[in-house]
């Protein structure tokens, strides 16, 4: 089904947690490897796929599978064609375990290991659409908190100039690096660390997007957001009332909050593991 090897990943899950002192944040370059996992953009010639990387039997590398997902996203209300096209280009089935690959284009979150989940396609598209809303120029640098398996980072990489994505679980950081290596995405920078503190070295960010929800938006995120920038994140509503999607715009005169629909994200946690 998916013969792409994932060297070392399961073994690394059992490694003892690093101490904070040893685990200084590292930027992991996503070095290109042979093969490409991005479907061609409209008007682009299909890129050659090495035979060894072509999954057999599921038909999941067929563009038609993603097109059906994109049509569903459009029917659900996603309108931004840039987002729809990016969703159509990233092969989501490559980011989940082969046992779950047949569900990759359903509108469902799926386990990615270590108790975490890849967000539903609809949520990934919705957050990207909110991030870009009202902008025609390509957005500059974006910080993603919660790399997980790297899927959303891959989608964002097609929509903005640069993506910095931080993950607190080393096992997932490494899994994302492995997943993304086969893509040629020089504008994605993977970081291992506690995203509660943001990533000051990359600031200011035109956009910040969080894939994990806390009680409130950490002050560091607002500090690291550029004036004119936008943050999209799940946050807790009143005690016991679940999470809602927050859009925060930073302007010269302060920050504007807009609370939108209810969402269900994994919790934002502090520290690394
Ligand atoms: N965007 C991801 C979704 C992963 S789920 C994808 O496409 O797969 C959210 C992730 O946020 C989890 O992997 C979790 O470990 C991570 N996370 C939670 N708190 C964090 C923090 N403080 N810093 C960095 N990552 C965090």
């Amino acid at each position: 089904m998916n013969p792409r090897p994932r060297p070392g990943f399961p073994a690394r899950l059992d490694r003892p947690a690093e101490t904070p002192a040893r685990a200084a944040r590292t930027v992991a370059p996503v070095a290109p490897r042979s093969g490409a996992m991005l479907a061609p953009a409209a008007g682009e010639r299909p890129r050659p796929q090495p035979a060894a990387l072509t999954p057999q039997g599921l038909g999941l590398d067929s563009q038609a599978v993603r097109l059906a997902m994109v049509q569903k996203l459009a029917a659900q209300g996603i309108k931004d064609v840039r987002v729809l096209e990016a969703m159509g280009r990233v092969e989501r089935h490559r980011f989940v375990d082969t046992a779950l690959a047949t569900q990759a284009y359903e509108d469902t979150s799926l386990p990615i290991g270590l108790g975490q989940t890849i967000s539903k396609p609809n949520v990934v598209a919705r957050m990207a659409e909110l991030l870009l809303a009202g902008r025609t120029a390509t957005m500059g640098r974006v910080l993603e908190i919660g790399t997980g398996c790297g899927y959303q980072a891959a989608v964002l990489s097609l929509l903005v100039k640069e993506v910095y994505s931080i993950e607190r679980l080393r096992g997932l950081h490494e899994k994302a690096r492995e997943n993304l290596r086969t893509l040629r995405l020089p504008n994605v920078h993977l970081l291992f660390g506690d995203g509660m503190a943001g990533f000051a070295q990359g600031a200011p960010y035109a956009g910040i997007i969080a894939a994990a929800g806390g009680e409130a938006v950490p002050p560091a995120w607002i500090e690291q957001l550029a004036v004119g920038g936008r943050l999209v994140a799940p946050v807790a509503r009143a005690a016991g009332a679940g999470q809602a999607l927050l859009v925060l715009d930073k302007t010269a005169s302060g920050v504007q909050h807009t609370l939108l629909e209810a969402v269900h994200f994994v919790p934002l946690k502090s520290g690394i593991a």
Side-chain angles (χ1 to χ4, degrees), residues 65-74 87-88 92 104-105 121 151:
V65 185
R66 274 175 303 287
L67 189 62
M69 179 187 80
V70 166
Q71 282 166 346
K72 196 165 167 190
L73 291 172
M87 295 296 293
R92 192 170 184 261
Y105 297 102
Y151 173 73

Side-chain angles (χ1 to χ4, degrees), residues 116-117 144 146-147 149 152 167-169 172 194-195 211 266 269:
Q116 308 303 316
T117 53
E144 179 194 34
T147 313
C149 65
Q152 186 170 39
E167 172 58 55
R168 65 176 288 275
L169 298 177
L172 286 177
D194 181 357
V266 296
K269 293 190 175 169

Side-chain angles (χ1 to χ4, degrees), residues 70-91:
V70 166
Q71 282 166 346
K72 196 165 167 190
L73 291 172
Q76 288 168 332
I78 304 296
K79 293 188 179 65
D80 191 322
V81 289
R82 299 168 293 184
V83 173
L84 291 171
E85 191 194 285
M87 295 296 293
R89 286 185 65 197
V90 181
E91 298 184 341

Side-chain angles (χ1 to χ4, degrees), residues 2 5 9 16 26 42 78 89 108 124 136 139 147 149 176 192 195 212 223 250:
N2 183 352
F9 171 63
T26 51
I78 304 296
R89 286 185 65 197
T108 179
V124 172
T136 46
M139 187 175 253
T147 313
C149 65
F192 172 58
E223 280 159 26
K250 184 166 171 179

